[in-house]
Amino acid sequence: MPALDTNVLVRYVVRDDEAQLSAARRLIRSCVSRGQTLFVPITVTLEFEWVLRSNFGFSKVETIDALSTLFSAAELTFESERALEVALHLYREGSADFADCVHIALAAQARELPLWTFDKRAGKVGGAQILGR
């Protein structure tokens, strides 16, 4: 199964470069026509969220919508997809960063809780615990 890098997903969603968007669409159509799905590593998902917020000024709601749309795309398979869905729910409901929510969801999936943190916002998420000084 071929995999996608962050920049391909960003071009596909943001559509800020017509040539790269066309290339991304051709790749996806080609894989789908051959019955292949495209793999998205968890690191790409984390970077994708960060790029949308920091480089393109996406709001939290816009970022959540973009991730939700990608998670439901039949042509994409995400590494640890169930944990990412849990992380997206935690992110939607709380004040912790998406990356912290992913860390907590992956720790929960591995049954390795709590996730110890100094981050006060992350510490408010179920499954995380603030480490005292």
Side-chain angles (χ1 to χ4, degrees), residues 39-104:
F39 179 73
V40 181
I42 200 154
T43 52
V44 167
T45 306
L46 285 169
E47 186 180 27
F48 175 81
E49 184 273 336
W50 179 83
V51 167
L52 290 185
R53 281 185 305 101
S54 64
N55 291 15
F56 292 96
F58 274 43
S59 69
K60 181 176 179 176
V61 170
E62 292 169 324
T63 303
I64 290 168
D65 288 346
L67 286 167
S68 294
T69 299
L70 289 178
F71 291 169
S72 65
E75 60 271 17
L76 301 177
T77 299
F78 286 82
E79 178 181 8
S80 301
E81 189 161 351
R82 180 66 186 126
L84 286 173
E85 290 169 353
V86 168
L88 192 61
H89 172 75
L90 295 173
Y91 181 55
R92 181 182 289 115
E93 300 299 318
S95 62
D97 293 338
F98 179 67
D100 290 324
C101 293
V102 171
H103 303 324
I104 294 163

